[in-house]
């Protein structure tokens, strides 16, 4: 018994069905980079930092979408919502809020 993919390829080869692109085109994507500083911050959690005592920490980072300037870098024991919000609040206190686009 042929697989569904084989049957589909045969139907396309004989012009009985039209192939449909399943992927997204590059113009469908929105670039995160902005044209001016302080329009967008990108927050991320990076991690796997092992300490000498064997515990693992994570780093909450915030990057400006135009200049790639680091607005936040906070080491946290556990990346909870509260820890991320505190890192964001600290960055907002230092640099002000990013402009809305």
């Amino acid at each position: 018994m042929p697989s569904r993919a084989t049957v589909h390829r045969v139907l396309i080869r004989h012009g009985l069905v039209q192939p449909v692109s399943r992927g997204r085109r590059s113009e469908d994507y929105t670039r995160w980079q902005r044209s001016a500083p302080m329009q967008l911050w990108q927050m991320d959690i990076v991690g796997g930092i092992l300490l000498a005592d064997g515990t693992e920490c994570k780093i909450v980072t915030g990057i400006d979408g135009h200049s790639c300037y680091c607005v936040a870098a906070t080491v946290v024991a556990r990346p909870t919502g509260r820890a991320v919000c505190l890192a964001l609040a600290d960055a907002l206190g230092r640099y002000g809020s990013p402009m809305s686009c």
Side-chain angles (χ1 to χ4, degrees), residues 21-52:
S21 175
R22 291 187 295 169
R24 295 180 78 181
R25 300 176 312 220
S26 60
E27 55 268 8
D28 291 340
Y29 292 100
T30 302
R31 288 190 53 92
W32 286 102
Q33 184 177 358
R34 294 297 187 236
S35 58
M38 294 296 289
Q39 288 184 340
L40 174 76
W41 286 355
Q42 300 173 42
M43 301 294 290
D44 194 11
I45 299 172
V46 294
I49 310 298
L50 290 174
L51 300 180

Side-chain angles (χ1 to χ4, degrees), residues 18-99:
Q18 295 298 319
V20 176
S21 175
R22 291 187 295 169
R24 295 180 78 181
R25 300 176 312 220
S26 60
E27 55 268 8
D28 291 340
Y29 292 100
T30 302
R31 288 190 53 92
W32 286 102
Q33 184 177 358
R34 294 297 187 236
S35 58
M38 294 296 289
Q39 288 184 340
L40 174 76
W41 286 355
Q42 300 173 42
M43 301 294 290
D44 194 11
I45 299 172
V46 294
I49 310 298
L50 290 174
L51 300 180
D53 64 357
T55 58
E56 182 181 26
C57 294
K58 305 285 184 184
I59 300 175
V60 178
T61 61
I63 306 293
D64 179 63
H66 171 74
S67 63
C68 295
Y69 183 77
C70 181
V71 295
T74 305
V75 178
V76 295
R78 290 181 44 228
T80 61
R82 180 173 174 77
V84 173
C85 287
L86 288 173
L88 177 61
D90 182 50
L92 290 171
R94 283 188 192 175
Y95 302 106
S97 64
M99 296 180 292

